[in-house]
PDB file of all heavy atoms in Angstrom:
ATOM      1  N   LEU A  49     -65.974 -46.370 105.690  1.00 38.00           N
ATOM      2  CA  LEU A  49     -67.262 -45.971 106.223  1.00 38.00           C
ATOM      3  C   LEU A  49     -67.099 -45.042 107.412  1.00 38.00           C
ATOM      4  O   LEU A  49     -67.827 -44.065 107.576  1.00 38.00           O
ATOM      5  CB  LEU A  49     -68.067 -47.217 106.637  1.00 38.00           C
ATOM      6  CG  LEU A  49     -68.649 -48.040 105.481  1.00 38.00           C
ATOM      7  CD1 LEU A  49     -69.241 -49.347 106.025  1.00 38.00           C
ATOM      8  CD2 LEU A  49     -69.708 -47.250 104.730  1.00 38.00           C
ATOM      9  N   ALA A  56     -69.316 -36.544 107.268  1.00 34.00           N
ATOM     10  CA  ALA A  56     -70.708 -36.131 107.377  1.00 34.00           C
ATOM     11  C   ALA A  56     -70.933 -35.349 108.665  1.00 34.00           C
ATOM     12  O   ALA A  56     -71.623 -34.334 108.686  1.00 34.00           O
ATOM     13  CB  ALA A  56     -71.627 -37.352 107.324  1.00 34.00           C
ATOM     14  N   LEU A  66     -66.724 -23.117 107.108  1.00 98.00           N
ATOM     15  CA  LEU A  66     -65.904 -22.064 107.690  1.00 98.00           C
ATOM     16  C   LEU A  66     -64.539 -22.608 108.097  1.00 98.00           C
ATOM     17  O   LEU A  66     -64.352 -23.814 108.280  1.00 98.00           O
ATOM     18  CB  LEU A  66     -66.604 -21.481 108.919  1.00 98.00           C
ATOM     19  CG  LEU A  66     -67.998 -20.889 108.681  1.00 98.00           C
ATOM     20  CD1 LEU A  66     -68.639 -20.511 110.010  1.00 98.00           C
ATOM     21  CD2 LEU A  66     -67.910 -19.681 107.768  1.00 98.00           C
ATOM     22  N   GLY A  70     -68.620 -22.231 113.456  1.00 97.00           N
ATOM     23  CA  GLY A  70     -69.280 -21.249 114.303  1.00 97.00           C
ATOM     24  C   GLY A  70     -68.644 -19.879 114.326  1.00 97.00           C
ATOM     25  O   GLY A  70     -69.182 -18.953 114.927  1.00 97.00           O
ATOM     26  N   LYS A  87     -60.953   0.778 116.875  1.00 96.00           N
ATOM     27  CA  LYS A  87     -61.144   1.789 117.901  1.00 96.00           C
ATOM     28  C   LYS A  87     -61.068   1.139 119.275  1.00 96.00           C
ATOM     29  O   LYS A  87     -61.835   0.212 119.559  1.00 96.00           O
ATOM     30  CB  LYS A  87     -62.497   2.492 117.727  1.00 96.00           C
ATOM     31  CG  LYS A  87     -62.751   3.591 118.759  1.00 96.00           C
ATOM     32  CD  LYS A  87     -64.099   4.258 118.540  1.00 96.00           C
ATOM     33  CE  LYS A  87     -64.341   5.354 119.567  1.00 96.00           C
ATOM     34  NZ  LYS A  87     -65.671   5.999 119.373  1.00 96.00           N
ATOM     35  N   THR A  92     -64.604  -1.983 114.298  1.00 98.00           N
ATOM     36  CA  THR A  92     -65.947  -1.414 114.260  1.00 98.00           C
ATOM     37  C   THR A  92     -66.153  -0.717 112.927  1.00 98.00           C
ATOM     38  O   THR A  92     -65.458  -0.986 111.955  1.00 98.00           O
ATOM     39  CB  THR A  92     -66.156  -0.456 115.460  1.00 98.00           C
ATOM     40  OG1 THR A  92     -67.514  -0.032 115.516  1.00 98.00           O
ATOM     41  CG2 THR A  92     -65.228   0.752 115.385  1.00 98.00           C
ATOM     42  N   VAL A 102     -75.545  -9.293 111.067  1.00 98.00           N
ATOM     43  CA  VAL A 102     -75.969 -10.267 110.064  1.00 98.00           C
ATOM     44  C   VAL A 102     -75.554 -11.677 110.488  1.00 98.00           C
ATOM     45  O   VAL A 102     -76.351 -12.623 110.421  1.00 98.00           O
ATOM     46  CB  VAL A 102     -75.366  -9.920 108.684  1.00 98.00           C
ATOM     47  CG1 VAL A 102     -75.572 -11.064 107.697  1.00 98.00           C
ATOM     48  CG2 VAL A 102     -75.984  -8.640 108.146  1.00 98.00           C
ATOM     49  N   ALA A 104     -74.973 -12.820 113.420  1.00 98.00           N
ATOM     50  CA  ALA A 104     -75.738 -13.279 114.586  1.00 98.00           C
ATOM     51  C   ALA A 104     -77.074 -13.888 114.179  1.00 98.00           C
ATOM     52  O   ALA A 104     -77.573 -14.807 114.847  1.00 98.00           O
ATOM     53  CB  ALA A 104     -75.964 -12.110 115.549  1.00 98.00           C
ATOM     54  N   SER A 118     -55.263  -4.129  99.325  1.00 92.00           N
ATOM     55  CA  SER A 118     -54.698  -4.669  98.088  1.00 92.00           C
ATOM     56  C   SER A 118     -54.570  -6.181  98.113  1.00 92.00           C
ATOM     57  O   SER A 118     -54.528  -6.830  97.069  1.00 92.00           O
ATOM     58  CB  SER A 118     -53.328  -4.039  97.812  1.00 92.00           C
ATOM     59  OG  SER A 118     -52.435  -4.283  98.882  1.00 92.00           O
ATOM     60  N   VAL A 124     -59.249 -13.752 100.646  1.00 98.00           N
ATOM     61  CA  VAL A 124     -60.569 -14.389 100.773  1.00 98.00           C
ATOM     62  C   VAL A 124     -60.654 -15.595  99.851  1.00 98.00           C
ATOM     63  O   VAL A 124     -61.092 -16.679 100.257  1.00 98.00           O
ATOM     64  CB  VAL A 124     -61.691 -13.371 100.459  1.00 98.00           C
ATOM     65  CG1 VAL A 124     -63.045 -14.083 100.337  1.00 98.00           C
ATOM     66  CG2 VAL A 124     -61.761 -12.294 101.533  1.00 98.00           C
ATOM     67  N   LYS A 128     -57.876 -17.682 103.411  1.00 98.00           N
ATOM     68  CA  LYS A 128     -57.287 -17.175 104.652  1.00 98.00           C
ATOM     69  C   LYS A 128     -58.394 -16.585 105.505  1.00 98.00           C
ATOM     70  O   LYS A 128     -58.325 -16.602 106.731  1.00 98.00           O
ATOM     71  CB  LYS A 128     -56.226 -16.123 104.356  1.00 98.00           C
ATOM     72  CG  LYS A 128     -55.573 -15.554 105.617  1.00 98.00           C
ATOM     73  CD  LYS A 128     -54.434 -14.610 105.312  1.00 98.00           C
ATOM     74  CE  LYS A 128     -53.795 -14.093 106.599  1.00 98.00           C
ATOM     75  NZ  LYS A 128     -52.664 -13.175 106.327  1.00 98.00           N
ATOM     76  N   THR A 145     -62.262 -13.061  90.873  1.00 97.00           N
ATOM     77  CA  THR A 145     -61.482 -13.522  92.027  1.00 97.00           C
ATOM     78  C   THR A 145     -62.359 -14.033  93.149  1.00 97.00           C
ATOM     79  O   THR A 145     -62.047 -15.037  93.792  1.00 97.00           O
ATOM     80  CB  THR A 145     -60.605 -12.369  92.554  1.00 97.00           C
ATOM     81  OG1 THR A 145     -59.759 -11.897  91.505  1.00 97.00           O
ATOM     82  CG2 THR A 145     -59.740 -12.829  93.726  1.00 97.00           C
ATOM     83  N   HIS A 156     -70.034   7.184  97.234  1.00 90.00           N
ATOM     84  CA  HIS A 156     -69.544   8.185  96.307  1.00 90.00           C
ATOM     85  C   HIS A 156     -68.016   8.171  96.341  1.00 90.00           C
ATOM     86  O   HIS A 156     -67.409   7.770  97.328  1.00 90.00           O
ATOM     87  CB  HIS A 156     -70.030   9.582  96.695  1.00 90.00           C
ATOM     88  CG  HIS A 156     -71.503   9.777  96.581  1.00 90.00           C
ATOM     89  ND1 HIS A 156     -72.396   9.294  97.519  1.00 90.00           N
ATOM     90  CD2 HIS A 156     -72.254  10.405  95.636  1.00 90.00           C
ATOM     91  CE1 HIS A 156     -73.631   9.620  97.163  1.00 90.00           C
ATOM     92  NE2 HIS A 156     -73.571  10.295  96.026  1.00 90.00           N
ATOM     93  N   ASP A 160     -60.434  14.561  97.977  1.00 98.00           N
ATOM     94  CA  ASP A 160     -59.822  15.288  99.077  1.00 98.00           C
ATOM     95  C   ASP A 160     -58.558  15.988  98.595  1.00 98.00           C
ATOM     96  O   ASP A 160     -57.767  15.404  97.842  1.00 98.00           O
ATOM     97  CB  ASP A 160     -59.462  14.326 100.211  1.00 98.00           C
ATOM     98  CG  ASP A 160     -60.668  13.957 101.062  1.00 98.00           C
ATOM     99  OD1 ASP A 160     -61.792  13.958 100.526  1.00 98.00           O
ATOM    100  OD2 ASP A 160     -60.480  13.642 102.254  1.00 98.00           O
ATOM    101  N   VAL A 198     -50.513   7.729  92.049  1.00 96.00           N
ATOM    102  CA  VAL A 198     -49.565   7.183  93.020  1.00 96.00           C
ATOM    103  C   VAL A 198     -50.351   6.226  93.909  1.00 96.00           C
ATOM    104  O   VAL A 198     -51.364   6.620  94.508  1.00 96.00           O
ATOM    105  CB  VAL A 198     -48.938   8.304  93.862  1.00 96.00           C
ATOM    106  CG1 VAL A 198     -48.017   7.714  94.931  1.00 96.00           C
ATOM    107  CG2 VAL A 198     -48.186   9.272  92.968  1.00 96.00           C
ATOM    108  N   PRO A 221     -63.032   6.804  98.967  1.00 94.00           N
ATOM    109  CA  PRO A 221     -64.451   6.590  99.245  1.00 94.00           C
ATOM    110  C   PRO A 221     -64.954   7.824  99.996  1.00 94.00           C
ATOM    111  O   PRO A 221     -64.313   8.268 100.970  1.00 94.00           O
ATOM    112  CB  PRO A 221     -64.447   5.345 100.141  1.00 94.00           C
ATOM    113  CG  PRO A 221     -63.147   4.667  99.851  1.00 94.00           C
ATOM    114  CD  PRO A 221     -62.171   5.770  99.570  1.00 94.00           C
ATOM    115  N   ALA A 249     -70.470  -4.723  98.826  1.00 98.00           N
ATOM    116  CA  ALA A 249     -70.958  -6.014  99.302  1.00 98.00           C
ATOM    117  C   ALA A 249     -69.822  -6.756 100.001  1.00 98.00           C
ATOM    118  O   ALA A 249     -68.647  -6.420  99.833  1.00 98.00           O
ATOM    119  CB  ALA A 249     -71.496  -6.859  98.148  1.00 98.00           C
ATOM    120  N   ALA A 253     -65.202 -16.540  99.207  1.00 98.00           N
ATOM    121  CA  ALA A 253     -64.450 -17.423  98.317  1.00 98.00           C
ATOM    122  C   ALA A 253     -65.390 -17.983  97.263  1.00 98.00           C
ATOM    123  O   ALA A 253     -66.564 -18.277  97.543  1.00 98.00           O
ATOM    124  CB  ALA A 253     -63.807 -18.560  99.114  1.00 98.00           C
ATOM    125  N   PRO A 290     -79.867   7.368  97.830  1.00 89.00           N
ATOM    126  CA  PRO A 290     -80.443   7.483  96.478  1.00 89.00           C
ATOM    127  C   PRO A 290     -81.762   6.725  96.366  1.00 89.00           C
ATOM    128  O   PRO A 290     -81.912   5.624  96.912  1.00 89.00           O
ATOM    129  CB  PRO A 290     -79.355   6.852  95.592  1.00 89.00           C
ATOM    130  CG  PRO A 290     -78.088   7.004  96.367  1.00 89.00           C
ATOM    131  CD  PRO A 290     -78.482   6.870  97.806  1.00 89.00           C
TER     132      PRO A 290
END
Side-chain angles (χ1 to χ4, degrees):
L49 286 172
L66 302 173
K87 181 180 180 181
T92 187
V102 169
S118 59
V124 170
K128 180 175 181 179
T145 303
H156 294 77
D160 281 29
V198 176

